[in-house]
Amino acid sequence: MRRVAVVAVAQTKFQRRRPDLMPAQMVYGVCKEVVAKAGIDRSEIDFTAAGSADYLEGRPFSFGQALRYEGAWPPINETHLEMDGGWAAYYAWIRLVTGKYDTALVTSWNKSSEASIHHVMNIALDPFYESAIGAGPIPLAALQARAYMNRTGVTSEHLAKVAVKNRRNALKNPYAQVKKDSTVQEALSSPMLSDPLHVADCPPISDGAVAIILAAEGKAERLCSRPAWVTGVHHASDSGIIGFRDLAEVPAVRAAAQGAYKMAGISDPLRDLDVAEVCETFSHQELMLYEGLGFCGPGEGGKLLDSGMTEAGGELAVNPSGGCLAADPIMCRSLVRLGEAALQVMGQAEERQVPGAKRALAHGTYGECLQGNIVWILEAD
Amino acid sequence: MAEPVTIFPRHLRLPYTLTAGAMQSRFAKAVRDEKKIYGNRCTQCKRILVPPDIACAQCWADTEGWIELKDRGVVKTFTVMRVPFYGQKIEIPYVIAQIVPEGGDGAIMHLLQEVEAEKVRIGMRVEAVWTDEKRTGSLADDILYFRPTGEPDMPIEEMVERGWGL
Amino acid sequence: MADNTELVQRQVEIEFPYQSATGAAVSRFLTALRDDKRIWGLKCPRCQRVVVPAQDYCDVCAEDMSEWVEVGQEGEIVTWTVVRNENTLYPHKTPFAYALIRLDGADTSLLHTVVARDYAAIKGGSRVRAVWKDERTGHIRDIGHFAPVGEEA
Amino acid sequence: MRNAAVVGIGQTHHVSKRLDLNMAGMVREAAQRALADAQLTFNDIDAVVIGSAPDLFEGVALPEQWLAGALGAYGKPILRIHTMGSVGGCTAISAFYHVASGVFDKVLTVAFEKQSEAQTTWVFSAGSGGRSFSSGAGGAFAPVARFYIDRWKVPLEMGPRVAVKDRGNAMRNPYAHWKKGAVTLEDVMNSPMLWDPFRYLESCPTSDGAAAMVFAAEDIAPKIHRKPVWVKSAVAMTESLTMSMGMKALPPAAVACAKRAYADAGITNPRKELQMAEIYTPFSWIEFILYEGLGFCDEGQGWRLLEEGVTEFGGSFPVDPSGGVISTNPIGASGMLRMLEAALQVRGDAEGGHQVPDVRQALGHAYGGTINYHAVMIFSDTKP
């Protein structure tokens, strides 16, 4: 299979509200920046993929507004996905793997500060039974957290510890939104939103945009001194019906990981990987992801966390960027993880750099309770 | 026994708070407070964008300046809307035109009134009729409509030459 | 941009009375709630699971389903959360609980609400029973909520 | 890049209200027909690509999440495309590249719209707050048509003649939404004006329907279907929204898209080397703009192709023998229907009498937005 790499990454500083720019306008700066970073002209980009959601922007066909900021003149080879930008990156990767194209620009943007996330995500549920009962992301995640905790014995302290770890990591990430050095006790004493989830266990509402450039072998080396090669990637969906699922388990995470590991030749991820950026949209999900991604055995997510191995200085740093708990621009979240993992491999993660990181994992997700999952393995030569 | 359920009514209501952004807010405030339409200029092709924007769609380049335009212009093209829809706030039929304000190169979309639909032409010269009631900064609401000025039309060849399409 | 002190905001609502066709299985399921206060599932010919609430296909196997099975009005709580923040979409005033409920005879869970006197007493496996509304329209909330067995009245 | 072929084709019978099926049932019906055509099951499929236009049409956000299980994507990759009206075309193209990349062997793709669940013209105005000048799809395209008519001084009956052609063609397509029979020029001219210059009979209906295709890799495609339809080109091109409202009434992205598609297929004279085309004409006059954009003729000459009968069903280069979008428009599916119909023509399987004789190569086209999104696929009976 043809080798493809991430060669440049740009992101806005994520913030609770970005009122000075309209949603699509946030794309202009990151696209300009990422093209400049790759040192190419817009006309050298063979394919463009974008990811966003109409219902979060409050208007139909909203992504059409972004075209001018993506540089769609003269006409470009472009496709928009009504999905998280992480899947736009996947489609761009598919296009490059064909050998027909050499470079791709991938972008996504998100301004959920202007919408009610609960109302929007409620109508993504099965319309007859699950949407009609009024549920949204926080109570559904809480059902998952309880189911997982009941299965494994993971405690509220474990959840708090994830939140503390990631937001402390975020102190070193200039793009993160919620960053603080706090204690488990502080997290546990934050208000209970939907038990067992405290405010500290939930992601912030974030506005911002991200863009990356992918390039195929032959081109990538010229655009980047240390490209982050995609050596494995796969994605998989769980059922979208919450009641159909065993919420204590993450089979679609396992399916995505197995596909990516097989492609990359990874047998022992904890040993083989140097760093992982995962979409823990709620704190318990990071522990579920440890299991689903094979960082530990079944039921051992809490134990792995306690071991300190996933801390910033640990054997396998997880979310040195701060993850989704530090900034959660919904339609960008998976693309940001891919970008952050690439920056680690490229050696460009600045203060949050994991020293000597050569092989990274990026995990992305869409839907409720980790329904859709994508896993990327990125490696330096 | 009642009929079986075959239609499930779902009355959806999704709330939003949309912010115009800094540049569009400035544009809106001029509409609201001064009854004026502004554009800005592409740093590369020098064309005047209406409404103003942070980037030129043609050049993928930054913009500059803040240029006052006339609240009159030329009908670039138009249609007559005769189709009702849910939540429609304007009585059908109505003429919707793309109007290039004098001094600008881009078009704004607005209503055309004080003219029979059958008599609207491409190239027709029109002017804005503003509301004196409480203005909100929305061009769609603060200008009630445009109306013909009666001056001679701009020939279509001149419009093509000016490259207003881009 | 010299002048950006005041930003113009608009409150907007996307509002529409959608009319969603139910299809056969959802139609029969909702009609039975309304007319008979009975709860039906469908059995997957492949994985043999009894799926409740009923839909036309198995979400795991993608098989069409047509074998109807009635399930109990009672079941056990698989997982639950007590909701404390308000939202206009919630069917009850807080606190109330969302729960996945495995009805007797079903192999999947129903997402619904639980209203209880003492939420601290809820445990995994707690028995709950459907509490029906008097005015029913063919809606999943014709079951007003589930209540711990013994608290239905 | 390896070759890929269409090995399964399915569609629903398109109607204004599909009340017996919900969204999931409707996409499954098309998917199951495509799978049956390929003699495959959901289990055989490696990945699923779906497409539909704005989620506001059905009031289900990000519907790939709910529909994943309905389309057999449990535990598998599912991808959702949305490129406005061109989405069905871009979705098929995406599925093609999933196979051509070598990553997947068998990919199911489904595009749909169930417009009866809301109101199409409302969707275009949604979220605007105050007065909306949004005038629906017709209102978006009418100004372009108006400009075309004035620019090239086209006889006013030419637009209506597109409706006569397409609604007549629909009578031979058992899946078409339009069932009321052939119409005369007089019928069209006398039908009510909706969006000047588009009259009622010159405008697409709002339909409920779904389309599905299965793409397979070159080594297995001939084992799956007796007559695999090979993909020679799959190109999608986009330009900024304001661009195509240009004064030339010649959408640059269409021109660029066709140019690349012909280059990929080695075509220099499309009207000679292709035997037919299915193009995306939701409103009468747009047809001529597309003839020109897709290089079937020179600029300003599109209407003459129809005047001379070239693009009629019995002409030398039939366009939209299925009846086209004017006769059937489940928006998200409409682009895929163009691709699927072109593939059926190459296979010789167009039912109900709308098969064009001896089709060896055919073009499918879809557009969207302000005519700024374009997708073209070229299908062939011969492996490239």
Side-chain angles (χ1 to χ4, degrees):
Chain A
M1 193 172 294
R2 191 180 194 215
R3 300 214 311 157
V4 170
V6 180
V7 296
V9 179
Q11 53 189 318
T12 60
K13 186 182 180 318
F14 295 101
Q15 52 197 65
R16 175 63 181 81
R17 254 184 213 91
R18 185 70 201 266
D20 60 316
L21 294 177
M22 289 167 74
Q25 290 178 328
M26 296 189 297
V27 169
Y28 181 58
V30 290
C31 285
K32 283 290 231 191
E33 184 185 336
V34 81
V35 167
K37 277 183 173 165
I40 54 175
D41 188 74
R42 180 69 181 81
S43 61
E44 290 176 71
I45 293 167
D46 302 320
F47 181 66
T48 302
S52 71
D54 278 348
Y55 263 120
L56 278 170
E57 281 185 52
R59 60 190 296 185
F61 310 107
S62 56
F63 50 92
Q65 304 302 323
L67 290 169
R68 57 159 50 196
Y69 308 114
E70 294 164 29
W73 184 258
I76 57 171
N77 182 358
E78 186 265 0
T79 298
H80 172 264
L81 293 86
E82 191 83 352
M83 289 188 96
D84 180 312
W87 275 261
Y90 183 82
Y91 184 35
W93 174 78
I94 287 274
R95 287 284 195 115
L96 297 194
V97 167
T98 62
K100 200 171 161 58
Y101 314 95
D102 292 330
T103 48
L105 168 67
V106 183
T107 188
S108 70
W109 62 97
N110 181 82
K111 216 175 176 197
S112 41
S113 69
E114 300 197 336
S116 161
I117 295 170
H118 186 100
H119 283 71
V120 171
M121 295 309 165
N122 169 268
I123 60 165
L125 300 172
D126 157 84
F128 307 107
Y129 302 136
E130 298 194 336
S131 172
I133 212 80
I138 294 173
L140 293 175
L143 293 177
Q144 183 189 33
R146 171 97 65 201
Y148 175 67
M149 291 160 83
N150 282 355
R151 170 169 74 78
T152 59
V154 156
T155 62
S156 290
E157 282 73 18
H158 285 114
L159 270 55
K161 222 166 153 178
V162 170
V164 169
K165 167 179 84 70
N166 288 357
R167 292 190 178 120
R168 184 183 296 138
N169 288 350
L171 286 165
K172 294 186 173 178
N173 178 2
Y175 305 100
Q177 175 184 339
V178 182
K179 20 180 143 190
K180 56 183 168 193
D181 201 355
S182 59
T183 64
V184 167
Q185 206 42 55
E186 282 165 352
L188 285 173
S189 55
S190 67
M192 187 73 89
L193 274 184
S194 195
D195 68 344
L197 296 178
H198 292 261
V199 168
D201 297 314
C202 299
I205 294 168
S206 309
D207 290 356
V210 56
I212 68 165
I213 289 190
L214 290 168
E217 55 189 329
K219 184 93 176 189
E221 302 87 335
R222 278 184 278 144
L223 305 186
C224 180
S225 58
R226 191 178 152 97
W229 296 103
V230 178
T231 55
V233 58
H234 190 57
H235 68 106
S237 178
D238 204 330
S239 165
I241 317 281
I242 304 296
F244 246 89
R245 296 168 52 183
D246 177 354
L247 289 184
E249 299 285 351
V250 284
V253 175
R254 284 181 204 283
Q258 278 162 14
Y261 292 159
K262 191 174 162 210
M263 197 184 290
I266 286 176
S267 53
D268 180 354
L270 188 62
R271 188 196 64 206
D272 296 343
L273 297 167
D274 300 315
V275 54
E277 281 284 342
V278 304
C279 280
E280 65 344 341
T281 59
F282 293 88
S283 56
H284 67 280
Q285 290 177 351
E286 180 160 317
L287 305 175
M288 300 187 81
L289 288 164
Y290 290 172
E291 295 186 31
L293 296 169
F295 299 170
C296 62
E300 293 177 347
K303 213 171 96 189
L304 180 63
L305 179 74
D306 288 338
S307 76
M309 287 168 87
T310 59
E311 295 278 348
E315 195 168 324
L316 172 55
V318 177
N319 283 336
S321 71
C324 293
L325 290 175
D328 189 30
I330 297 175
M331 301 313 287
C332 309
R333 57 164 74 122
S334 307
L335 189 56
V336 171
R337 301 279 79 73
L338 177 61
E340 284 288 335
L343 288 172
Q344 290 288 348
V345 169
M346 291 153 73
Q348 294 178 14
E350 300 170 310
E351 246 199 292
R352 59 197 184 285
Q353 179 70 45
V354 172
K358 275 200 74 174
R359 192 185 273 148
L361 175 146
H363 161 266
T365 194
Y366 65 72
E368 301 312 323
C369 305
L370 298 171
Q371 183 197 342
N373 298 275
I374 189 164
V375 174
W376 303 79
I377 306 298
L378 301 174
E379 294 183 46
D381 267 336
Chain B
M1 184 85 59
E3 288 294 304
V5 177
T6 56
I7 296 292
F8 186 74
R10 302 165 60 229
H11 199 145
L12 301 187
R13 295 173 184 277
L14 288 88
Y16 297 88
T17 303
L18 305 180
T19 307
M23 189 171 282
Q24 272 64 29
S25 290
R26 188 177 174 192
F27 177 82
K29 277 180 282 179
V31 166
R32 184 189 65 196
D33 302 339
E34 308 167 42
K35 293 194 199 172
K36 278 182 181 164
I37 301 169
Y38 282 89
N40 66 359
R41 185 188 298 105
C42 171
T43 53
Q44 218 156 308
C45 69
K46 308 295 181 195
R47 294 148 52 89
I48 309 295
L49 310 187
V50 196
D53 207 329
I54 61 164
C56 171
Q58 178 168 307
C59 306
W60 202 42
D62 293 350
T63 51
E64 61 184 8
W66 195 247
I67 297 131
E68 186 184 333
L69 309 170
K70 295 275 172 22
D71 61 352
R72 37 186 288 133
V74 175
V75 173
K76 194 174 105 173
T77 184
F78 68 96
T79 186
V80 186
M81 176 64 172
R82 301 173 194 273
V83 181
F85 60 86
Y86 183 83
Q88 199 166 28
K89 293 193 177 77
I90 308 166
E91 202 180 326
I92 51 172
Y94 49 90
V95 181
I96 300 167
Q98 290 187 47
I99 296 157
V100 183
E102 223 174 287
D105 293 302
I108 52 176
M109 198 180 309
H110 221 290
L111 291 175
L112 221 54
Q113 290 183 6
E114 296 188 31
V115 57
E116 288 166 50
E118 293 70 28
K119 294 196 173 145
V120 179
R121 301 173 303 275
I122 287 176
M124 189 177 241
R125 311 258 180 189
V126 295
E127 64 185 9
V129 177
W130 295 81
T131 181
D132 284 321
E133 285 170 30
K134 194 174 182 318
R135 289 190 299 276
T136 62
S138 154
L139 203 63
D141 293 320
D142 292 352
I143 290 179
L144 292 170
Y145 54 86
F146 280 76
R147 67 181 171 206
T149 65
E151 297 159 280
D153 291 359
M154 179 183 278
I156 202 162
E157 291 72 21
E158 185 180 338
M159 299 165 72
V160 173
E161 199 172 309
R162 289 184 177 219
W164 279 353
L166 296 177
Chain C
M1 288 310 305
D3 169 17
N4 61 358
T5 46
E6 183 205 346
L7 294 159
V8 175
Q9 284 195 335
R10 287 181 297 145
Q11 304 294 325
V12 168
E13 191 176 53
I14 292 185
E15 172 272 318
F16 194 85
Y18 284 88
Q19 299 280 313
S20 301
T22 57
V26 175
S27 169
R28 181 162 169 183
F29 180 88
L30 293 179
T31 304
L33 296 186
R34 184 191 64 186
D35 296 347
D36 311 326
K37 294 201 274 187
R38 289 165 76 177
I39 305 170
W40 289 84
L42 278 162
K43 188 171 181 181
C44 174
R46 193 183 181 92
C47 69
Q48 303 293 318
R49 296 200 299 175
V50 173
V51 171
V52 181
Q55 59 179 47
D56 294 293
Y57 53 92
C58 172
D59 227 54
V60 169
C61 306
E63 293 284 328
D64 289 322
M65 299 193 290
S66 56
E67 188 186 338
W68 288 88
V69 179
E70 186 178 4
V71 297
Q73 307 255 330
E74 270 186 40
E76 59 183 45
I77 289 182
V78 176
T79 180
W80 76 101
T81 179
V82 183
V83 178
R84 296 176 195 279
N85 64 322
E86 296 292 338
N87 191 293
T88 56
L89 291 180
Y90 290 153
H92 310 289
K93 288 222 172 315
T94 55
F96 70 97
Y98 275 114
L100 289 181
I101 298 156
R102 185 142 311 183
L103 294 172
D104 296 341
D107 294 305
T108 63
S109 301
L110 172 69
L111 175 65
H112 218 292
T113 59
V114 173
V115 175
R117 287 187 203 122
D118 178 12
Y119 290 100
I122 296 177
K123 289 193 285 290
S126 288
R127 301 284 298 174
V128 290
R129 187 174 177 84
V131 177
W132 295 89
K133 282 184 182 166
D134 293 333
E135 299 274 316
R136 293 184 305 280
T137 60
H139 193 286
I140 191 66
R141 277 159 47 196
D142 286 352
I143 301 172
H145 60 271
F146 284 78
V149 170
E151 289 184 21
E152 307 96 296
Chain D
M1 186 167 88
R2 71 172 171 181
N3 282 305
V6 180
V7 296
I9 294 173
Q11 61 180 308
T12 58
H13 291 84
H14 310 286
V15 295
S16 58
K17 287 176 193 280
R18 191 67 200 266
L19 295 178
D20 62 320
L21 296 176
N22 62 27
M23 272 169 79
M26 195 181 72
V27 295
R28 278 172 65 78
E29 184 172 279
Q32 285 170 323
R33 286 178 181 179
L35 289 169
D37 182 39
Q39 294 184 290
L40 297 173
T41 69
F42 283 117
N43 284 321
D44 298 315
I45 295 297
D46 302 322
V48 180
V49 184
I50 73 165
S52 62
D55 297 350
L56 279 78
F57 278 134
E58 293 88 1
V60 176
L62 307 164
E64 68 281 359
Q65 298 176 14
W66 171 43
L67 297 176
L71 291 169
Y74 175 80
K76 293 177 187 172
I78 180 166
L79 206 74
R80 156 84 189 289
I81 308 290
H82 177 11
T83 57
M84 309 193 185
S86 72
V87 62
C90 293
T91 303
I93 286 172
S94 172
F96 161 75
Y97 282 113
H98 272 67
V99 175
S101 65
V103 178
F104 301 101
D105 287 337
K106 295 185 284 287
V107 173
L108 169 69
T109 185
V110 186
F112 68 94
E113 216 69 74
K114 206 161 191 293
Q115 281 167 257
S116 67
E117 312 235 323
Q119 191 192 69
T120 304
T121 304
W122 164 75
V123 169
F124 285 80
S125 75
S128 53
R131 291 201 298 181
S132 168
F133 300 148
S134 153
S135 46
F141 305 138
V144 183
R146 165 72 55 197
F147 187 84
Y148 180 87
I149 296 166
D150 281 19
R151 179 78 179 99
W152 304 112
K153 317 265 184 294
V154 187
L156 288 175
E157 83 273 9
M158 287 315 301
R161 280 184 57 177
V162 175
V164 173
K165 168 178 77 80
D166 284 358
R167 291 187 192 271
N169 285 350
M171 298 321 299
R172 290 181 287 268
N173 177 5
Y175 295 96
H177 180 168
W178 178 254
K179 296 275 184 235
K180 291 184 184 160
V183 296
T184 64
L185 184 59
E186 204 187 356
D187 294 334
V188 181
M189 298 293 265
N190 289 335
S191 69
M193 189 63 87
L194 296 186
W195 292 277
D196 299 35
F198 302 139
R199 295 173 182 81
Y200 173 73
L201 286 173
E202 293 176 82
S203 305
C204 55
T206 57
S207 313
D208 286 0
M213 302 168 87
V214 179
F215 288 86
E218 68 176 296
D219 52 333
I220 58 171
K223 294 175 204 156
I224 294 173
H225 200 279
R226 68 183 160 81
K227 198 169 175 193
V229 179
W230 300 98
V231 177
K232 280 195 156 179
S233 306
V235 183
M237 296 292 287
T238 310
E239 69 204 30
S240 294
L241 278 179
T242 48
M243 297 298 181
S244 45
M245 302 309 264
M247 292 321 244
K248 291 170 73 183
L250 183 69
V255 175
C257 190
K259 209 171 139 189
R260 284 194 185 202
Y262 296 145
D264 286 351
I267 286 173
T268 52
N269 184 341
R271 263 169 60 202
K272 273 226 166 79
E273 294 162 76
L274 301 166
Q275 284 73 48
M276 62 81 63
E278 278 281 341
I279 69 175
Y280 197 100
T281 303
F283 297 93
S284 57
W285 289 94
I286 302 301
E287 176 117 336
F288 307 136
I289 293 168
L290 294 174
Y291 288 173
E292 297 167 25
L294 296 171
F296 299 162
C297 62
D298 290 337
E299 197 181 348
Q301 300 296 307
W303 60 279
R304 291 193 189 276
L305 283 189
L306 180 62
E307 193 186 38
E308 291 159 11
V310 172
T311 55
E312 297 279 4
F313 183 62
S316 62
F317 185 68
V319 173
D320 291 349
S322 69
V325 184
I326 283 187
S327 304
T328 306
N329 191 28
I331 296 184
S334 288
M336 189 174 289
L337 289 172
R338 309 281 70 71
M339 306 307 178
L340 168 165
E341 284 287 343
L344 277 175
Q345 291 282 351
V346 169
R347 208 159 86 176
D349 284 352
E351 295 171 48
H354 75 291
Q355 177 69 46
V356 174
D358 304 321
V359 178
R360 298 176 311 282
Q361 290 201 123
L363 176 145
H365 160 266
Y367 86 77
T370 56
I371 327 190
N372 66 313
Y373 283 93
H374 290 267
V376 168
M377 295 184 86
I378 294 174
F379 299 96
S380 172
D381 63 357
T382 313
K383 189 159 91 173

